[in-house]
Amino acid sequence: MEFLRKIIVQIRNLWGKMAMIQRIILIGIAVAVIGGMIALFTISSAPTLVPVIDAPIRDEAAQDRIIMRINQEGVKASVSPAGIVQVSDDATAKRMRGILIREDLIPSGTDPWAIFDRDRWTITDFERNVNLRRAITQMVTDHIKAIDDVDDANVTIVSPERELFAADQDPVTASVVLTPKPGSDILGNRKKIEGIQKILKYAVQGLSDENIAIVDTNGNLLNDFEGMAAFDRLSLIEKEQKLILQQETRYRALILKSLQDIYTKDRVRDLNIKIEMDMSKRAVDTEEYFPITIKPRTPGLPYDDSQLAQSITRSTNTSVTKWEGTGLNPEGPAGVEGQTPPAFKDMQNLYGSMSQETLFKNEEINKKTTQEEKSPQIDRVTVSVNIDGKWKWKYTQKGRPAILPDGSIEREYTPVPAEDLRSSQYLIQNAIGYNAARGDAVTVQNIPVDRTNQFRDEDTAYFRDQQIRTTIFVFLSGLVLLLVGFILFRLITREFERRRRIAEELRAQREQAARDAAIASAEEGGVDVSISVEERTRMELQESVANMAKEHPEDVARLIRTWLLEE
């Protein structure tokens, strides 16, 4: 402590000897040193980000898709100014990298080898190749292990030596043994297996699908997608059935809400809907011919006065040929083959005549060619719904519910009118897009619902409520009688107490008057009257009370008022 005091004193003396400029310079240096230390600590404490893809991504749309997919996994990602997507740690980067490759979110212009880029320094080409294969194998193994559904993975990549001729070159092969996590569906999920296969193809140059074998710990081949056609068919059927169920649920909710808003939820509870859908996809080419409308139908006429024609003549060509006798057939110069066609040569030296006329017509018709691809569509919709009527209690002339001999409340049922049923049917038909041509059917019935248990509960609640009311009435009546009796008893006792007090006061007054008379007569006769101790005490007490009443009349009045209230 003494040492510190000396240092502080020296600093004060030194500070006092400094000029103002020296003090300003010293303060500036101290501020700069403190600011530099703060900046150093801030930079050193900032989190280190790991790139998901080493190559920059310039396409903003591709960046947005990658960021959104990473955010769906609950991982925070950022994009550097150079366009590189980054996450917090290396394990997360490997896991996100596997997901992006599996779902084809790596941009097409990105070099696949940039994902596995690692610098390796070797001495010889052999060691460089061996280290490269090891790095690729380890990197692929880490990526596959980073997938949530994989507990462990064993990857083997075989890269044969390069041959001079391509025909002698052996292909690159890869095998992966997967150990799934408990509860994972990766062994039956084709999309996830294809994602692992794409990771291998991106990592290993020259690797093709047919040279990749992905198996489980039991040796079952998982990437035999041709053999999984039956499984894919079952999966497709399951998805189709799920789609139909969703459609039925949507229609059911729509119809139930409409009817329950009209008839209440208690009366509309049974609604069955069945949708038959054709899930096949097929291309249809249709060619249709229509008559030509020369004159359309006149609006407002009760009959059809339109004029139709099967076709119209666009052009006509008539050809006429006439021949009589042999005619002149020039042969040309002597010694030169003639130009007469063989058909005319055969008719030489023949006599006769021929006339031929040919008519050509170009007819136009209405023709419509349609090429369409039919997607899944609804073949038939059937709906059946039951609407219950109204139940009302019957009442007696006194306004009380009518009771049957068995002790239950009598009720009256009012069915739904036929007009309301037809209106409900029209409402449902419009809601589902009713089409009679495809065989749709809508049935709305009024069948009374069995409400025995409901009525029993209502009767029990009613009688219990009546019993509780009767009990409360009897209890309150007894309480009122008890209160009236207590008030009468209190009044009677007070009256008796008042009469007893008046009698005692009268008796005391008579005794006091007798004493006063005896004392007065004794004083008049000169007789010495002796007063008992009790009498003297009572007289002194009366005298003190009288004096107190004279000195403090207000206190005495309050005391008397209190006594009266208590009485």
Side-chain angles (χ1 to χ4, degrees):
M1 295 297 294
E2 187 65 26
F3 177 72
L4 292 177
R5 292 194 189 95
K6 291 181 180 180
I7 291 177
I8 292 172
V9 171
Q10 292 178 0
I11 291 174
R12 288 179 179 176
N13 295 333
L14 183 61
W15 180 263
K17 295 178 181 179
M18 286 184 180
M20 181 60 66
I21 298 176
Q22 292 176 343
R23 294 179 181 179
I24 293 173
I25 293 173
L26 183 61
I27 292 173
I29 293 173
V31 170
V33 171
I34 294 173
M37 294 179 65
I38 293 174
L40 179 62
F41 286 133
T42 303
I43 295 173
S44 61
S45 61
T48 304
L49 299 178
V50 179
V52 178
I53 303 174
D54 293 339
I57 301 174
R58 306 298 181 184
D59 188 3
E60 294 184 359
Q63 286 183 5
D64 294 339
R65 288 194 298 269
I66 292 174
I67 294 296
M68 289 178 62
R69 184 64 184 89
I70 293 176
N71 291 337
Q72 289 178 2
E73 298 294 326
V75 178
K76 184 178 181 181
S78 62
V79 181
S80 66
I84 297 178
V85 180
Q86 300 173 331
V87 294
S88 59
D89 52 64
D90 188 61
T92 305
K94 292 178 181 178
R95 184 165 63 90
M96 295 299 105
R97 200 174 298 144
I99 294 175
L100 296 179
I101 295 175
R102 182 183 70 197
E103 299 187 4
D104 287 332
L105 293 178
I106 303 297
S108 58
T110 304
D111 182 11
W113 286 95
I115 301 176
F116 307 95
D117 187 15
R118 294 291 184 275
D119 293 334
R120 295 289 184 267
W121 298 93
T122 58
I123 299 175
T124 63
D125 292 341
F126 175 77
E127 292 179 351
R128 184 181 296 110
N129 293 333
V130 170
N131 291 336
L132 177 61
R133 286 196 295 269
R134 289 178 179 176
I136 293 174
T137 302
Q138 183 62 38
M139 190 65 62
V140 173
T141 303
D142 293 341
H143 288 332
I144 296 176
K145 287 182 178 180
I147 299 175
D148 292 336
D149 299 294
V150 177
D151 190 19
D152 192 12
N154 188 359
V155 180
T156 302
I157 300 174
V158 178
S159 300
E161 297 293 335
R162 185 176 296 277
E163 301 291 342
L164 180 60
F165 298 101
D168 299 334
Q169 182 67 44
D170 294 331
V172 180
T173 60
S175 63
V176 181
V177 180
L178 292 179
T179 302
K181 288 184 179 179
S184 173
D185 63 340
I186 190 171
L187 299 182
N189 194 319
R190 178 172 180 171
K191 187 175 182 181
K192 294 180 180 179
I193 299 299
E194 286 180 345
I196 296 176
Q197 187 167 295
K198 290 177 183 177
I199 292 176
L200 291 169
K201 290 173 62 179
Y202 270 119
V204 182
Q205 185 179 8
L207 186 61
S208 58
D209 294 339
E210 59 270 13
N211 295 323
I212 299 176
I214 303 176
V215 299
D216 58 6
T217 53
N218 297 325
N220 299 319
L221 187 62
L222 303 179
N223 63 331
D224 183 15
F225 301 128
E226 295 181 358
M228 295 176 64
F231 178 79
D232 294 340
R233 176 60 180 167
L234 292 176
S235 179
L236 179 62
I237 293 174
E238 182 180 356
K239 292 180 180 179
E240 293 174 354
Q241 294 297 328
K242 186 176 180 181
L243 177 62
I244 294 174
L245 180 60
Q246 291 177 352
Q247 191 77 357
E248 293 176 350
T249 303
R250 186 174 69 87
Y251 277 168
R252 186 176 187 275
L254 179 64
I255 297 171
L256 268 181
K257 185 178 184 304
S258 300
L259 295 179
Q260 288 177 351
D261 290 342
I262 300 172
Y263 299 104
T264 71
K265 294 182 179 179
D266 186 59
R267 295 175 58 192
V268 183
R269 295 180 292 181
D270 302 328
L271 190 146
N272 300 315
I273 182 169
K274 177 63 178 176
I275 298 178
E276 298 177 4
M277 297 186 66
D278 182 9
M279 307 301 294
S280 61
K281 294 180 64 177
R282 59 184 182 274
V284 179
D285 295 337
T286 306
E287 189 174 21
E288 299 177 276
Y289 296 91
F290 300 93
I292 299 173
T293 303
I294 299 175
K295 178 181 178 297
R297 179 177 178 176
T298 304
L301 288 179
Y303 59 90
D304 187 3
D305 64 339
S306 61
Q307 296 180 7
L308 305 178
Q310 297 298 324
S311 63
I312 59 174
T313 302
R314 185 171 183 179
S315 62
T316 304
N317 185 14
T318 304
S319 175
V320 178
T321 303
K322 291 183 179 182
W323 172 79
E324 293 181 1
T326 60
L328 179 63
N329 296 323
E331 294 290 338
V336 180
E337 183 68 23
Q339 302 299 321
T340 303
F344 286 95
K345 283 185 177 182
D346 294 340
M347 292 187 294
Q348 288 182 358
N349 302 322
L350 296 177
Y351 295 91
S353 65
M354 181 188 70
S355 177
Q356 181 180 3
E357 182 177 355
T358 305
L359 178 63
F360 297 95
K361 287 186 178 182
N362 186 8
E363 300 284 343
E364 288 290 343
I365 59 176
N366 268 352
K367 178 181 178 182
K368 179 182 179 182
T369 303
T370 305
Q371 293 181 352
E372 61 179 350
E373 182 177 348
K374 291 188 176 181
S375 57
Q377 58 185 358
I378 297 176
D379 284 346
R380 187 169 182 247
V381 180
T382 58
V383 180
S384 64
V385 61
N386 178 41
I387 302 176
D388 192 14
K390 296 181 179 179
W391 291 91
K392 294 183 179 180
W393 287 6
K394 286 188 175 182
Y395 292 89
T396 61
Q397 295 180 354
K398 296 181 179 180
R400 295 182 179 180
I403 307 300
L404 294 174
D406 59 355
S408 61
I409 299 175
E410 185 178 0
R411 293 172 173 84
E412 181 182 5
Y413 180 75
T414 303
V416 181
E419 184 64 27
D420 291 350
L421 294 178
R422 284 194 296 270
S423 300
S424 301
Q425 183 177 2
Y426 297 150
L427 180 66
I428 297 173
Q429 289 177 353
N430 293 330
I432 66 173
Y434 177 80
N435 186 0
R438 66 185 181 188
D440 293 353
V442 176
T443 303
V444 181
Q445 296 291 338
N446 172 215
I447 302 175
V449 179
D450 184 9
R451 300 176 181 268
T452 304
N453 296 330
Q454 177 184 346
F455 292 163
R456 184 186 303 112
D457 295 339
E458 291 179 358
D459 295 347
T460 302
Y462 173 77
F463 291 124
R464 183 172 59 250
D465 183 61
Q466 294 297 321
Q467 184 178 6
I468 292 174
R469 289 185 180 182
T470 304
T471 303
I472 293 175
F473 177 76
V474 172
F475 174 75
L476 293 178
S477 301
L479 185 62
V480 170
L481 292 176
L482 181 62
L483 182 61
V484 171
F486 176 76
I487 293 173
L488 293 176
F489 175 76
R490 185 65 176 171
L491 293 175
I492 293 172
T493 53
R494 284 189 177 183
E495 182 65 23
F496 288 161
E497 183 66 24
R498 186 181 66 82
R499 293 181 179 182
R500 184 184 61 79
R501 188 170 59 251
I502 292 173
E504 289 180 355
E505 289 178 357
L506 293 175
R507 183 173 56 80
Q509 290 177 2
R510 288 195 297 270
E511 292 179 355
Q512 182 66 27
R515 283 193 216 93
D516 293 339
I519 293 173
S521 61
E523 289 179 354
E524 291 177 358
V527 180
D528 187 9
V529 181
S530 61
I531 302 174
S532 63
V533 178
E534 293 179 359
E535 189 68 22
R536 189 179 298 278
T537 302
R538 187 177 65 81
M539 293 178 63
E540 292 177 356
L541 182 59
Q542 288 181 353
E543 185 178 358
S544 63
V545 170
N547 295 331
M548 184 178 294
K550 293 178 182 180
E551 295 176 358
H552 305 283
E554 295 179 357
D555 295 339
V556 174
R558 281 197 295 270
L559 178 61
I560 295 172
R561 191 182 300 112
T562 303
W563 287 349
L564 293 176
L565 291 175
E566 289 180 354
E567 292 296 332

